[in-house]
Amino acid sequence: MLIPVRDHSDRKRLARTANDVVYETAQARKWNSFPEHGIAVASNGCGDLLILLPGTDDVHHWDHETGAVTVCEVDWT
């Protein structure tokens, strides 16, 4: 599930985006093993996240149990 970007355009959209990228990234950073500068962009619903890391063009998988970060193959077509 992609994590939404906060949308202030009206009350309905704001309510739908309450758990936005900023909030979810802040929650993830509470885990000791989450990369310090990682940005959470998607969740599998079980704790693992897809993250972006500064200085890279790749999407990464972060495993919440092991703290491992691996590059994901993404087909943008």
Side-chain angles (χ1 to χ4, degrees):
M1 169 177 75
L2 289 174
I3 298 170
V5 174
R6 183 158 293 213
D7 185 347
H8 294 278
S9 59
D10 63 42
R11 294 182 83 190
K12 190 174 185 178
R13 288 191 174 124
L14 183 59
R16 287 184 193 154
T17 59
N19 288 358
D20 66 342
V21 169
V22 174
Y23 174 80
E24 294 297 333
T25 297
Q27 294 301 307
R29 288 185 176 160
K30 292 179 181 179
W31 288 75
N32 290 333
S33 62
F34 190 78
E36 182 179 355
H37 299 293
I39 300 168
V41 294
S43 169
N44 68 356
C46 296
D48 295 347
L49 299 170
L50 289 182
I51 64 172
L52 302 176
L53 295 173
T56 70
D57 293 330
D58 299 314
V59 176
H60 298 79
H61 171 261
W62 172 72
D63 186 302
H64 78 286
E65 291 181 3
T66 66
V69 175
T70 55
V71 175
C72 295
E73 283 192 36
V74 179
D75 182 3
W76 297 105
T77 59

